[in-house]
Amino acid sequence: MLDVERLPAPNIMHDESVGPRRVVCVVDHLGRDRHVADDASRHVFTHCALTLDLSDCVDWSANQCDDEEWRIEWVKMYEGLNLAHAFAMTGDARYLNTWQDLVHRFCDQVPVGQDSSDVSARRVQNWIYAWCRFADAPAFRGLRPGLAQRLLERISLDADHIRHHLTAERNHRTLELYALFIVALALPHTDPCGELAQSSLTELGANLQIDVWPDGVHRECSTDYHHIVLRSFVGVVANSSRFGLVLPNGFRERLHRACDFALHVQRPDGTTPSLSDGDVGAFSELLTMAGDVLDRPDLTWAGSSGRHGIAPQRLDATFSTGGYVTQRSGWGASNTPYADERFLVLDCGPLGDGGHGHYDQLSVEMAGAGGSIAVDPGRFTYAEEPAGWRRWFKGTAAHNTVTVDGLDQMPYRRGKPKGPMPSARLVSRDTTESLDLIVAQASSPQYAALHTRRIAFVGRDYWIVHDHLRDIDEHLYEARWHLPPEVSDLRILQNDSAVLVCTSVATFAVPDGLGNVSIEDGWVSPQYGVKSAAPVITVRTRAARADLVTVVVPGTQAVTVRADVDPQTGILTAHVTRGSNEHHDDRIVWSPIQSLLRIDHVQARCRALWQRSDRAQVDRDPSWVVVE
């Protein structure tokens, strides 16, 4: 814990000409929207997908709508960066005057400590960033008389309050410590001896070690919050370098691991999935900055979608503590464009610390052929309202996994879970040149059925997902595939061996006897407060022991699938043909006991099943069984 006695109270120098020193702004690429600046100059503000006209009265102390998140975002004053950018581009004084008016009113209306420490911390950062951007504008001649001094005093008082009311743990603490670090660097008048800068840097080092697990995943297990926190830690390195500060021991090593997770969880379109209480993120600039400050050309490659840097060597990654597993066909370094590569991420870990975890164990996201195939629907809202949207988006049925009797994997709570928790684990992962096979398992306190999910990434081209469900009692098992809202050309076809759901980006094939297929209504929320109708493919059966199989093939090529599961041994045999070319004819066999038997790409007239029944024996003396 931070020893507040070591953090000196700010000592303000009374100098009207003083302004902030330039710090590295980790969100410098944001806040450049002229429309946002024009709206703000009319006192029109948009947050959480809701636009409010406050031209009659800007009251910073009041909650302007039912969703408290709206005011939380509003009082962070993100508009300042947009106003400063518009002023720099045009020299129009109304943008500067608007920001000065808003800051002045806030200082008048909101006492220090009214907002939570993390909200105050974000606002303080945004004030400093905007002030720096205004100061760099050609037309800037200084703030109006008295405002610079008042702003310095208010920032110092906010910083003093933050340091005495630090959140105990997780992402709020990171944001608060980083705000103190920025205040100390940008406004040395508040930290004349450098004690605040050094103490906050030391505590940020401890926070990184505690909150980012050794595998690199942030303890809340949310992809969005991971990147928000990562942004602060990358900013620590950038600003420490600028001001000649020494990083705490182990800081770079743990940060490298956190960047590894950010690298591997990025979709081929350059965005990041919204797993567990997040939005679909665009963190390319963060990866690029991390590549620069950490000398990581692989991060630069991902941040630039393959235009700069060096392609990462690893295609697949396993994050054992956080429970995320990824598969990827490539990084756009060969014949396939970066955006067209195949990508999958599986969640087979804990719900995560705090209240952000969704009930989504063994859920996946998929992308390929230039688009999203199956998506995590996001969060939509934190508000507990009569329509129940918070519960729907957090629930198991809102994710690409299996529900049992329509139940969530644990009883719903808006925030932090209580009571017995569901569990998930990675059982095994086996990789050959032709096949990457992941086996994961989940159980729930809500029911006795055990769910084992096997994902075969065949030829780094398509997937076979086998959901193996076992209990002594009968249940309704339902595997869902949430499609993106923009999906088009949705068709259901029935042939003699499978039901095919064809879309504009992929085909979902369910072999006969391995699940009944229907299309249902669903929702996807790429950003907080926004939800769009989107179709959901549901594969269901009612039994005690069941096997649901879905073959997912990116692209629009014709697909033929035949498959069966031996009810006694659980061995699955699948035959998948893509298009009319027999070079794209595959047979895959695997067992619930032996993790990998093998795949063969059938060529010309030879159809061969290379079967491996004892991996250790085969490694010593390979023996292949050829089936004509």
Side-chain angles (χ1 to χ4, degrees), residues 8 52 62 68 78 105 156 237 239 246 252 269 279 284 360 376 397 439 441 455 524 615:
L52 296 183
E68 62 181 352
Y78 289 107
R105 289 191 186 192
S156 69
V237 178
N239 279 294
V246 178
R252 283 183 179 272
D269 67 357
D279 297 336
S284 294
D360 60 352
D376 185 285
V439 181
Q441 202 168 75
I455 301 172
V524 169
R615 295 190 62 207

Side-chain angles (χ1 to χ4, degrees), residues 140-219:
F140 186 72
R141 299 294 181 268
L143 300 182
R144 64 180 54 150
L147 184 58
Q149 181 63 29
R150 185 171 194 190
L151 191 52
L152 284 171
E153 291 174 350
R154 178 55 189 256
I155 290 174
S156 69
L157 290 172
D158 279 336
D160 191 50
H161 182 269
I162 292 167
R163 73 188 182 92
H164 282 91
H165 297 84
L166 284 167
T167 303
E169 55 187 359
R170 298 194 296 272
N171 77 81
H172 287 184
R173 183 178 181 85
T174 307
L175 298 177
E176 293 157 13
L177 288 169
Y178 188 66
L180 294 176
F181 186 59
I182 291 299
V183 168
L185 297 181
L187 305 173
H189 332 87
T190 67
D191 186 31
C193 298
E195 296 179 29
L196 178 59
Q198 189 56 57
S199 296
S200 55
L201 178 58
T202 300
E203 288 298 323
L204 280 162
N207 178 244
L208 173 61
Q209 297 295 329
I210 294 171
D211 281 11
V212 174
W213 288 328
D215 67 346
V217 178
H218 188 267
R219 62 191 285 189

Side-chain angles (χ1 to χ4, degrees), residues 495-498 500 509 558-562 575-579:
N495 60 30
D496 59 357
S497 60
L500 307 179
V559 177
T560 302
V561 174
R562 297 193 305 275
H575 193 141
V576 181
T577 303
R578 294 150 293 150

Side-chain angles (χ1 to χ4, degrees), residues 18-20 22 31 36-45 58 60 74-88 92-108 122-137 140-152 154-155 187:
V18 77
R22 302 303 180 267
V36 173
D38 288 335
D39 282 349
S41 68
R42 298 191 300 270
H43 293 170
V44 175
F45 304 94
V58 175
W60 289 107
W74 181 47
V75 300
K76 293 176 183 177
M77 286 203 185
Y78 289 107
E79 287 84 2
L81 281 168
N82 297 279
L83 289 163
H85 177 71
F87 176 70
D92 190 336
R94 69 189 173 100
Y95 297 117
L96 175 58
N97 290 334
T98 296
W99 184 72
Q100 293 182 114
D101 289 342
L102 293 174
V103 170
H104 186 84
R105 289 191 186 192
F106 188 93
C107 294
D108 278 348
R122 184 63 82 195
R123 182 185 64 255
V124 164
Q125 284 186 59
N126 287 333
W127 274 348
I128 291 173
Y129 294 156
W131 194 355
C132 287
R133 190 176 283 182
F134 276 117
D136 288 340
F140 186 72
R141 299 294 181 268
L143 300 182
R144 64 180 54 150
L147 184 58
Q149 181 63 29
R150 185 171 194 190
L151 191 52
L152 284 171
R154 178 55 189 256
I155 290 174
L187 305 173

Side-chain angles (χ1 to χ4, degrees), residues 36 39 93 95 111 124 127 228 258 284 303 314-315 328 331 343 348 371 387 420 484 508 528 535 542 570:
V36 173
D39 282 349
Y95 297 117
V124 164
W127 274 348
I228 291 171
S284 294
R314 282 196 301 160
L315 296 180
R328 193 179 299 266
W331 293 97
F343 166 78
C348 57
F508 294 77
Y528 188 97
R542 185 177 289 278

Side-chain angles (χ1 to χ4, degrees), residues 223-286:
T223 47
D224 198 18
Y225 281 100
H226 178 97
H227 285 77
I228 291 171
V229 167
L230 181 63
R231 184 181 282 153
S232 293
F233 290 129
V234 170
V236 168
V237 178
N239 279 294
S240 293
S241 176
R242 170 169 290 190
F243 291 95
L245 301 175
V246 178
L247 293 171
N249 290 335
F251 194 98
R252 283 183 179 272
E253 180 185 1
R254 188 59 59 92
L255 182 57
H256 275 290
R257 296 181 186 178
C259 288
D260 287 340
F261 180 69
L263 170 72
H264 284 282
V265 82
Q266 187 199 58
R267 294 164 165 171
D269 67 357
T271 63
T272 299
S274 55
L275 305 177
S276 284
D277 259 8
D279 297 336
V280 174
F283 296 103
S284 294
E285 289 81 1
L286 173 60

